[in-house]
Amino acid sequence: MTTVFLVDDHEIVRRGLADLVRSQSDLEIVGEAGTVRQAVGRIQATMPDVAVLDMRLPDGDGIDLCRDIRSRMPTVACLILTAYDDDSAVRASVLAGAAGYILKDVGGRRLVEAIRSVARGRSLMNDAVVRRATEQLRRRAGEDADPRLGSLGLRERQILRLIADGLTNRQIGDELGIAEKTVKNYVSSLLSKLGLERRTQAAVFELEHRNDRPS
């Protein structure tokens, strides 16, 4: 029996997915969540074989959630489910450790097969996309003069850039489509990872690093 956890903020969508999974004799729903905050604790409690993650959530996104899950629970395979066909998001999913990236308009049969495949340890990512993502990671590692930047997730990097651009937490939230409280949490996390205490220090840090990069 393959255990599955669903994360989607739209209840109707989540119910439809749950009904689809439950209709399969070899798949079992062990939990659901509608936010990043709910998901992390519940996934830790249930330890599913596969976590199906919506790309856009009220307090974050599926890619950052995937990265968090994979770092804490490497045995949980993550399948990103989204309405958006975005090549950059696919590459970010690869870098976050996702096993697959599936569009929401996919047929039910294909989705359950995708769940079974990633549960068996297979990757559904296109080989060319994986190569491009790996090259991007190598380039980024080469560009990062300060190794602390490598510890930041994609969302933390975005927020660090916007802090350096002079945006407030509320403005950053509006820019990225996330709650102000979520921004505060990300700011606290990135300050801790960089070993800094204040936003002004983070802004200077980002600007210095930005200026050091080749154009």
Side-chain angles (χ1 to χ4, degrees):
M1 182 68 72
T2 296
T3 55
V4 182
F5 193 101
L6 301 177
V7 182
D8 196 301
D9 62 324
H10 293 94
E11 184 180 358
I12 293 177
V13 173
R14 202 166 64 243
R15 284 185 180 180
L17 291 172
D19 288 344
L20 173 65
V21 173
R22 290 192 182 102
S23 70
Q24 308 300 309
S25 61
D26 60 329
L27 303 180
E28 177 187 4
I29 296 292
V30 294
E32 301 178 22
T35 66
V36 170
R37 183 176 180 179
Q38 292 174 348
V40 174
R42 293 177 186 177
I43 290 173
Q44 283 183 313
T46 56
M47 290 299 294
D49 297 310
V50 180
V52 179
L53 314 176
D54 188 16
M55 175 68 83
R56 295 192 176 183
L57 296 164
D59 57 344
D61 63 60
I63 292 175
D64 281 339
L65 177 57
C66 172
R67 184 181 294 105
D68 194 9
I69 292 169
R70 296 290 295 165
S71 65
R72 300 186 192 203
M73 298 159 277
T75 61
V76 178
C78 293
L79 188 61
I80 304 293
L81 188 62
T82 178
Y84 305 95
D85 188 3
D86 184 338
D87 192 51
S88 63
V90 175
R91 290 197 298 272
S93 299
V94 172
L95 296 175
Y101 184 98
I102 302 292
L103 295 180
K104 283 188 174 181
D105 61 2
V106 69
R109 180 176 178 181
R110 185 177 171 191
L111 177 58
V112 295
E113 285 302 323
I115 292 173
R116 293 184 180 113
S117 293
V118 299
R120 292 194 294 265
R122 290 185 56 197
S123 172
L124 302 183
M125 296 296 190
N126 180 278
D127 289 342
V129 173
V130 173
R131 283 196 300 271
R132 287 198 299 271
T134 303
E135 291 169 2
Q136 177 185 344
L137 184 61
R138 288 173 180 166
R139 286 196 304 270
R140 190 172 73 182
E143 291 173 354
D144 289 345
D146 193 309
R148 288 176 292 177
L149 279 166
S151 68
L152 300 184
L154 175 64
R155 184 66 85 190
E156 289 168 333
R157 283 174 173 264
Q158 292 174 327
I159 290 175
L160 181 60
R161 286 195 293 269
L162 294 174
I163 288 174
D165 290 339
L167 274 65
T168 65
N169 285 350
R170 177 173 294 181
Q171 291 170 328
I172 292 172
D174 292 341
E175 177 75 16
L176 299 179
I178 58 179
E180 183 178 358
K181 183 178 180 181
T182 303
V183 175
K184 290 180 180 178
N185 291 337
Y186 277 119
V187 171
S188 296
S189 175
L190 70 87
L191 288 176
S192 175
K193 290 180 180 180
L194 296 177
L196 304 175
E197 296 179 356
R198 296 185 297 276
R199 290 170 61 94
T200 52
Q201 292 174 315
V204 171
F205 183 92
E206 161 63 15
L207 290 171
E208 288 178 346
H209 178 75
R210 186 185 298 175
N211 292 336
D212 286 341
R213 282 182 176 172
S215 59

